[in-house]
Every structure is written in C-alpha cells, then in structure tokens.
Amino acid sequence: MTAPFVANPYSPPTPFKARAYSLPLHSRVHLMGILNVTPDSFSDGGRFLAPDAAVAHALAMVEAGADIIDIGAESTRPGSTPVDEREEIRRLIPVVREVCRRISVPISVDTTKASVAKLALEVGASIINDISALRNDVEMGSVVAEAGAGLVLMHAQGPPQTMQQAPTYHDVVAEVRQFLAERARTALEFHISPAQIMLDPGIGFGKNLDHNLTLLAHVPELVSLGYPLLVGVSRKAFIGQVLGRPVEQRTMGTAAASAMAILGGARVIRVHDVGAVRDVVTMIEAIRRRQRHPSPAYQDPS
Ligand code: HH2
C-alpha cells in the first residue's frame, strides 16, 4: 500500500516558482547538476570551459536525472581569487545561452553580481543562486524580483578568500537558521514571493568539519523555516576529512551526506555525480512512500 508522500509539513504544498517554471519541490526531491565554467573549481575546474564541452556535460547531467542545471563561472572554493564582472560574463553568458536553447530543465546561475544575473536572465536563465544571499550587490534583489526568477539564499561566514581561516560560531545551527530567516525577510522586502525563495546552509562556506556535520545532523531545524532547503555537499573537503579520500573518491561520501540531508527534509541536492545521487533519491522515495508515519525528521524541532 502506498501512502501520500508528505515532503515538508512546514511549507505549504505549493510549487517553487522560477519564471516560466513551476517545480514540484514539495512532492519530490530535485537534483541540481553542477556545471562549472571555471579554470579553477576544486573538483571539475578547467573541464567545461569550452562552450561545446559545457553544453555536452549539461545534456549528460539531464540524461542522468538532473532537474536543474546550475552554471557558475567563478570558483568559490576556499582561497579562490575573485573574478571580475567582464571575465565572469565572458565565460558564462555564451554557455548559459546555448544550454538554455538546448535543454528544457530550468537553468540556475551561480553569481553574486546583479549585472551578470541580469544578462543570464536575458538569455534564458530562471534561477539565481546567490551565495552571498543578496549581500554582495544591492541591485540583486530588484533584478530577481523584476524577472520573477527563483532565488537561492545561501549562508556563508566571510568571503571565500578567508572563510576557512577560523570559522567561529556559538551555536552553528541557531546562527545559520537566524541568518537564513533574516535574508528571506530581506528578499520579501524586494517583493520576491515566498514561492520563489530557497534556502541553503552553505556547507563548507566558513565552516569547519564539526560545523558542517552538525548542520547536516540538524537539517529539520532549517527546514522548519518553511522554505525549500537546498543542500550542496558534493565532493566537499569535509567528506575528505571524514573518509580520508581525495576529491575524485568522494562519490559514496557525497551520496551518504546527501541521503542524510534528504531524510532531514532537504528538497534540492546540488551535485556533480548526478547519476549516483539520482539512485539515492529514487531509493529513498520508494521506501518513504511506504512509511505509515512521517519520519521523526519531520517532527517540529521547536
Ligand atoms: N557550493 C559551491 C558553489 N556554489 N551554491 C549553493 N547554493 N550551495 C553550495 O553548497 C555551493 C554553491 C562550491 O562547489 P563547486 O561549485 O563544486 O566548486 P567551486 O566553487 O570551486 O566552483
């Protein structure tokens, strides 16, 4: 017997809105495939710089089960060098235009600059993934609101150049939760609708191993804010720290950490290895539909 699948009791069962797209995040977990058009990303830097290679990889990820493709042209790995606006546009826009022309899933753009976001939206992007959560560029909120785009608001402590030097929290879960609630309020002030907002704890962004694991252990507390939660653990350093494995051997660690996030109520998982994590999602959802009672992760943590 299959029971109705209750994804997140804290948020209304409404789809996520991103321009022409309406994504049923409330009824199934979505995968966001990562496409880095950078020379220096920590795991796939330099591989997809050429537009043809980038488009081929986007198509392969959709084939493997990606529901969204997230394209970024500036690495944000710890210690990375910021990219200026012209260079970011030069790397990003031809790829976004071509990928939007060739695939039908929504395209997200990983940028903190309003000018870059505006151009990306003009050539067909639907979601802005702003890892600064509207703090880097005062124009970003208006650009997103005017386009009716989806928006990812991510927590980070400090800029990528210095964020891993000495991340400090009194209570990492409470502080990340409070930050995300406050940034969501800021987005609403720009007349971005709640249905356009997704939150993200920013795994690895100004967090040590204990902070990252603690956040993943407390996903339901972030989910309880009532917005869909995106979690990105893919191949990150904390997996290497736990397993003692280099970046190219972190697929199983990524799968396990993603599964924990999903069981906690995360609705979007940002990944490089789409096929592997698609299997994780399919298995979890098949089992969950047979649960008589919602999992404990769904109980109100307050
Ligand atoms: N992680 C990275 C980049 N962007 N965006 C969101 N919303 N959440 C994340 O966890 C996140 C993100 C870092 O990963 P990656 O893109 O693989 O590496 P790099 O920044 O070196 O390009």
Side-chain angles (χ1 to χ4, degrees), residues 3-264:
F5 180 56
V6 181
N8 178 354
Y10 303 109
S11 60
T14 50
F16 180 76
K17 297 283 186 195
R19 308 191 83 187
Y21 293 92
S22 192
L23 304 181
L25 302 187
H26 57 288
S27 64
R28 67 177 182 85
V29 172
H30 282 48
L31 293 185
M32 175 184 263
I34 303 170
L35 180 58
N36 284 318
V37 287
T38 57
D40 56 343
S41 285
F42 78 96
S43 86
D44 57 356
R47 286 186 56 201
F48 308 115
L49 260 179
D52 284 356
V55 172
H57 187 56
L59 288 168
M61 286 194 288
V62 172
E63 185 71 16
D67 302 287
I68 302 167
I69 299 293
D70 186 44
I71 311 181
E74 176 175 29
S75 173
T76 48
R77 71 176 204 287
S80 55
T81 322
V83 171
D84 71 27
E85 183 184 314
R86 272 186 53 185
E87 177 61 9
E88 195 177 340
I89 289 170
R90 190 188 69 75
R91 289 180 193 168
L92 189 70
I93 298 304
V95 173
V96 173
R97 182 187 289 113
E98 192 56 17
V99 172
C100 288
R101 213 172 58 76
R102 299 274 297 276
I103 67 178
S104 59
V105 304
I107 301 306
S108 154
V109 169
D110 190 343
T111 186
T112 61
K113 300 183 188 81
S115 56
V116 176
K118 194 165 192 299
L119 283 175
L121 291 164
E122 277 170 20
V123 298
S126 303
I127 299 173
I128 300 301
N129 173 17
D130 181 359
I131 64 155
S132 82
L134 304 182
R135 292 178 299 167
N136 184 58
D137 191 327
V138 288
E139 303 295 326
M140 188 64 109
S142 320
V143 166
V144 171
E146 272 160 35
L151 175 64
V152 180
L153 297 168
M154 194 195 81
H155 175 273
Q157 188 182 86
Q161 296 71 49
T162 56
M163 66 188 179
Q164 289 309 103
Q165 283 169 13
T168 310
Y169 299 85
H170 173 64
D171 177 338
V172 68
V173 178
E175 286 168 52
V176 168
R177 189 180 192 279
Q178 192 181 2
F179 171 90
L180 293 175
E182 187 258 313
R183 298 320 293 164
R185 274 196 296 278
T186 301
L188 297 177
E189 283 164 15
F190 280 100
H191 302 290
I192 295 167
S193 112
Q196 285 163 255
I197 298 171
M198 237 188 259
L199 305 178
D200 179 344
I203 297 298
F205 285 83
K207 282 134 193 139
N208 65 24
L209 175 61
D210 184 55
H211 299 143
N212 289 316
L213 296 176
T214 302
L215 282 166
L216 287 169
H218 292 85
V219 165
E221 287 172 53
L222 306 176
V223 167
S224 72
L225 288 168
Y227 292 93
L229 197 77
L230 182 156
V231 174
V233 296
S234 196
R235 303 179 184 166
K236 285 185 178 172
F238 80 101
I239 297 174
Q241 288 170 280
V242 173
L243 301 179
R245 297 205 181 274
V247 75
E248 63 281 3
Q249 291 175 20
R250 295 181 189 161
T251 305
M252 293 304 286
T254 297
S258 298
M260 281 300 288
I262 294 166
L263 292 174

